[in-house]
Amino acid sequence: MTNLNQHWMQRDIAALWHPCTQMKDHEHLPVVPIKSGSGVWLEDFDGKRYLDAISSWWVNILGHANPRINARIKAQLDALEHVILSGCSHRPVIELSERLGALAPAGLGHCFYADSGSAAVEIALKMSYHYWQNRGRPEKKRFLTITNGYHGETLGALSVGDVSFFTHTYRSLLLDVIKVPAPDCFALPREQWVSHAAARFAEMEVALARHADELAAVIVEPLIQCAGGMRMYPPEYLRWLREACDRYNVQLILDEIAVGFGRTGTLFACQQAEVRPDYLCLSKALTGGYLPLSVVLTTDEVYDAFYDDYASLRAFLHSHSYTGNPLACAAALATLDILEEDDVLAANRDRAARMARAAAPLASHPLVGDVRQTGMVVAIEMVRDRDSLEPFDFRERKGLEVFRHALSRGALLRPLGNVIYWMPPYVISDSEIDFLAEVTGEGLERVADSL
Ligand SMILES: *Cc1c(COP(=O)(O)O)cnc(C)c1O
């Protein structure tokens, strides 16, 4: 490693505390100082390039330094950088709201903005709780979710999550949330996904029946539990869930923060189940990975429950300083333009097929227990033993070995524990997909050699 990278790494470690990181790891693991990005590639200060296989934490869908998004932000910058969204408005946020309302399942015509995914989840939870108060049902105040979900890091969002790695330490601070087993189809052949999900749904049905009178809402990540290790389930489960929520008079929050904007093959994952949630939470790829922005879309029914004379104190008095930032909205509008003008989702069908072909040979590797895919996400799960599916203990840090190897080869893969996954920007080429498969295969060999 030459001097420039070293220089920035040292200054970094002296001044920063990195997210989701045991800082002591950086005694032997480099922080990668990135100087620039272009398309799927990131470049460090020594000129080494890395393929961004994880879309910079699932946000970047149209490549780094996308000229069309850059131009739109630059134009907006000269007009208006920011304005308060209470009592004021601006063109990008109005246009974005109209477009999201038109693209989402019909009936989600009211957009409430924030600045992060976690904040969007907090809003959906508070809105649902408050909705039942305004409707005269204050006893409907609890939430139900499925195991192994992830909805963010703030305390409300953490409460409805179930990845113990994130929640365990804080459990005494969290809300008392009801959890039922997820319809996770780990290591099952595709033909068995629906029957497996149906068996799991029976437990959801029981929990809904038992708790309906105290439940405000159910919250789930549709189709892919991303932070929970890219565990997947079929759209049928969402259809049954919507139908049961209606039957038991419980609201449905769909957290599409990670899977929205084409990741699962459709613009929104819930479209594969043809369901409309009461709250649709979006963030991450909303701005093409450029700027922090999130939004909760909701229905007339919810909106109307808050709409009253001021003195009734029914209003939703929630805000964040940067709510609906114009630069972020401009990036989102450019992102939607590109998705539409270039018919990116149609092109993604070929890309997803290429990813499937590239991943297929890895499925027979002795350390691979499952290769699964939904749209533009491929997950390759490492196990100690293929037959028993015995996992590697997290302390063995097998994912970290793959991470290190990939970095040395010029790919930014960042396994979730033992789960290696590809979740690249939608501008990845066939040869770049093949390169990822090659590096992943080598990483598996490294792990095998270490045993
Ligand atoms: C990332 C994520 C969040 C939290 O979003 P932040 O912007 O990191 O606060 C919530 N839900 C899901 C499904 C996510 O993947």
Side-chain angles (χ1 to χ4, degrees), residues 180-198:
V180 301
D184 174 5
C185 295
F186 171 59
L188 291 174
R190 187 60 78 149
E191 315 81 75
Q192 290 174 29
W193 281 26
V194 175
S195 59
H196 176 74

Side-chain angles (χ1 to χ4, degrees), residues 57-58 115-119 121 150-153 221 226-227 255-259 283-284:
W57 249 348
W58 321 341
D115 49 14
S116 73
S118 301
V121 169
Y150 178 85
H151 300 285
E153 300 293 345
E221 292 165 272
C226 293
D255 175 353
E256 297 223 14
I257 289 163
V259 297
S283 186
K284 290 200 166 109

Side-chain angles (χ1 to χ4, degrees), residues 211-231:
H211 298 286
D213 288 345
E214 55 172 344
L215 277 177
V218 174
I219 177 168
V220 297
E221 292 165 272
L223 303 189
I224 313 177
Q225 298 188 291
C226 293
M230 300 296 163
R231 294 297 182 91

